[in-house]
Amino acid sequence: MPLSTKTEVMSTLLLAAGLTVAAHAAETPALTKSDLAAATTLRSTTESSGEAYAVLESLTTEVGARLAGSAGDRAAVAWAERELKRLGLANVRTQEVMVPQWVRGEIEARVTAPFPQALAAAALGGSVGTAETGIEAEVVQFTSLEDLKKATREQVAGRIVFVNKRLERAKDGRGYGVAVPVRLEGASVASNLGAQAIVIRSMSTSQWRLPHTGTVSYAVGVPRIPAVAVSNPDADQLERMFARNRPVRLQLRVTARELPMTKSANVIGEIVGGEKPQEVVVLGAHLDSWDLGTGAIDDGAGVAIVSAAVAQIQKSGLKPKRTIRVVLFANEEFGLSGGSAYGKQTPEELANHVVAMEADFGGARVYSLGSQVAPEHLPAVREIARALAPLGVEFDDRNKSGGGADISPLRRQGVPVFALNQDGTLYFDYHHTANDTLDKVDPKALAQSTAAYAVTAWLAAQAEGGFGRLAPPQ
Ligand SMILES: [Zn+2]
């Protein structure tokens, strides 16, 4: 048949198929009118509530920084148990988790040539220290990890490597995924080439003179070298020195060190489901933070959002069919200890996890709902997205969302995930720095995010038929 006719027939077929799906969804919606009416009320009461901000104010003021394994971390676990009880959640409990313990110590970073001066630097999390007296060596600059990987031993051996890779600003934070391998892998790549240490441009979008920390991931069997980040303005300064084509030399003294593994805990609380208590909707966030700030946006905001969201459902007097569970994960930053521990459940328990979602992208507004559910259940997610539309939340129907780090062990074992995507335009200005403090969080935006989580959790607990299972990852 002629192409135009063929196209017409195909579009008619597609239209018919679309109508069939629509008609089917119209016949059998996953949510009842009364569930949706309750969602409308929940949305407005949560959006006008200051509860999430109060939770965040309490955590950042009364606990502050809470690096895994530190005294702050222990205080955070005790705080979370008290707070979830205060918020009215049931079955508040801890799940013991072993976590690494790392001490930052002190750092001195100085240019010794060609223009002697101090730099603002921070050791990367997990970095080994230098010798007590420090090290001094010529610096060799690379613009990316790929660039460094192509270097020869002759270029690098005995020197300090500087990787000058800039993180690009984006609403969805995609620049981080592009740049962060420098921080994770750079030290081992440089060490394999005989480097004495690595200095990286901070994984940061800000021009403040504040270095960003974050984990370094040492490869097994490769000698560990000190790994530090300099702030963006200091990286610019080094870049200008290199542009003068004169040898640049640095002196580094880092007293960071590792201590034995120690105990921490996931803190869990819930609203027990009325009809299907064994079926669980999980809302996660991580309780630990880096040590430089007070962990307000990373991830105090997430802790506040999920705790207050579930508390609002409870306060509204709603009786969900399924259990809605808050999990405040231990040690996300230093290797996902809490997420991995929570993911170690029996196949039966995992099968009862209907869906999981995680808040770990600051306190800014949610702008879209994405998911990864069994495709035949996508219409149910669309119904939830419609209930979020008055909050300015769009539906991302690609069904390819990852959901977040702490719930990735669940996702890999077939548990569907939702992603309430928050505006990350400013997120990498603050995260992992001394500037990650309460004043960076807008209470109105935090309340909007909390409302989005509350509505999504409530409707997920009510949705007829759940969201299926995910196929094992390829
Ligand atoms: Zn985080």
Side-chain angles (χ1 to χ4, degrees):
M1 67 182 79
L3 189 62
S4 61
T5 319
K6 192 174 167 183
T7 313
E8 254 169 50
V9 170
M10 277 181 65
S11 53
T12 312
L13 283 173
L14 284 172
L15 194 64
L19 284 173
T20 312
V21 170
H24 179 76
E27 277 164 26
T28 56
L31 297 163
T32 66
K33 283 198 173 117
S34 77
D35 290 338
L36 290 167
T40 303
T41 310
L42 180 64
R43 193 179 66 220
S44 60
T45 52
T46 309
E47 212 187 358
S48 58
S49 159
E51 188 81 271
Y53 194 78
V55 171
L56 179 60
E57 194 266 355
S58 167
L59 175 61
T60 53
T61 307
E62 295 164 24
V63 178
R66 43 203 184 275
L67 186 66
S70 69
D73 188 41
R74 286 187 287 282
V77 169
W79 171 90
E81 279 191 86
R82 283 196 309 273
E83 192 68 1
L84 294 187
K85 283 178 189 161
R86 184 190 69 81
L87 290 168
L89 302 198
N91 301 332
V92 175
R93 60 200 185 271
T94 56
Q95 175 187 14
E96 195 177 291
V97 176
M98 293 304 286
V99 298
Q101 207 182 160
W102 174 78
V103 177
R104 173 172 298 284
E106 293 155 15
I107 186 165
E108 280 169 59
R110 288 190 63 80
V111 176
T112 52
F115 309 113
Q117 56 194 279
L119 299 176
L124 294 178
S127 174
V128 295
T130 59
E132 187 51 44
T133 49
I135 54 174
E136 205 266 349
E138 186 174 340
V139 184
V140 52
Q141 177 181 233
F142 298 94
T143 54
S144 66
L145 187 62
E146 295 67 44
D147 194 16
L148 172 62
K149 281 178 178 168
K150 283 184 217 142
T152 62
R153 201 173 170 84
E154 201 191 349
Q155 281 173 282
V156 172
R159 299 195 167 90
I160 294 171
V161 160
F162 170 49
V163 185
N164 188 12
K165 168 87 178 169
R166 202 177 281 274
L167 194 157
E168 301 297 338
R169 192 182 292 282
K171 187 177 180 182
D172 65 0
R174 63 182 177 275
Y176 190 62
V178 174
V180 83
V182 171
R183 194 191 73 209
L184 296 169
E185 302 165 35
S188 292
V189 175
S191 172
N192 260 329
L193 294 165
Q196 288 204 53
I198 183 169
V199 174
I200 66 166
R201 178 185 279 276
S202 281
M203 296 292 118
S204 158
T205 44
S206 96
Q207 281 302 124
W208 293 310
R209 202 176 183 189
L210 293 170
H212 288 228
T213 191
T215 44
V216 55
S217 164
Y218 289 120
V220 179
V222 178
R224 299 179 169 205
I225 58 170
V228 314
V230 291
S231 77
N232 267 327
D234 290 273
D236 295 345
Q237 185 81 324
L238 286 174
E239 191 178 304
R240 285 190 293 270
M241 290 186 198
F242 276 103
R244 283 163 165 76
N245 287 317
R246 289 170 60 180
V248 177
R249 296 186 68 86
L250 269 184
Q251 185 179 36
L252 275 181
R253 187 176 158 270
V254 181
T255 65
R257 64 197 188 281
E258 213 169 19
L259 298 175
M261 298 275 286
T262 185
K263 285 178 190 169
S264 185
N266 291 335
V267 183
I268 301 170
E270 57 207 14
I271 304 174
V272 179
E275 281 180 29
K276 302 167 186 165
Q278 75 286 359
E279 292 191 11
V280 184
V281 171
V282 167
L283 278 74
H286 66 86
L287 191 53
D288 65 308
S289 79
W290 283 106
D291 52 337
L292 299 175
T294 60
I297 70 156
D298 187 13
D299 184 23
V303 167
I305 287 168
V306 298
S307 304
V310 178
Q312 285 292 325
I313 297 170
Q314 172 89 341
K315 274 190 190 164
S316 305
L318 295 172
K319 301 267 180 285
K321 290 178 185 168
R322 300 187 175 99
T323 292
I324 302 177
R325 179 179 295 164
V326 170
V327 185
L328 303 179
F329 293 101
N331 186 36
E332 185 270 345
E333 299 289 4
F334 251 116
L336 231 56
S337 313
S340 305
Y342 186 81
K344 285 187 186 118
Q345 301 196 36
T346 65
E348 295 73 38
E349 286 168 321
L350 287 166
N352 275 328
H353 279 68
V354 172
V355 69
M357 62 200 93
E358 175 178 338
D360 187 12
F361 207 50
R365 293 175 65 88
V366 171
Y367 65 89
S368 76
L369 170 67
S371 65
Q372 196 178 145
V373 300
E376 65 273 23
H377 291 277
L378 196 57
V381 186
R382 188 184 298 277
E383 287 178 54
I384 295 174
R386 258 186 234 124
L388 296 172
L391 290 169
V393 177
E394 292 176 354
F395 182 39
D396 173 352
D397 64 359
R398 288 172 291 179
N399 203 32
K400 283 188 174 152
S401 297
D406 278 312
I407 59 173
S408 61
L410 294 176
R411 190 193 68 231
R412 281 197 296 273
Q413 296 177 91
V415 178
V417 295
F418 289 167
L420 283 157
N421 300 305
Q422 291 173 272
D423 188 331
T425 307
L426 301 179
Y427 185 73
F428 293 104
D429 286 356
Y430 309 118
H431 115 299
H432 297 187
T433 71
N435 231 351
D436 180 3
T437 49
L438 180 66
D439 51 292
K440 309 309 182 305
V441 177
D442 170 10
K444 280 208 171 104
L446 192 70
Q448 184 266 7
S449 303
T450 309
Y453 273 86
V455 166
T456 305
W458 159 247
L459 294 176
Q462 302 304 96
E464 194 59 42
F467 305 97
R469 293 285 99 184
L470 302 181
Q474 274 126 25

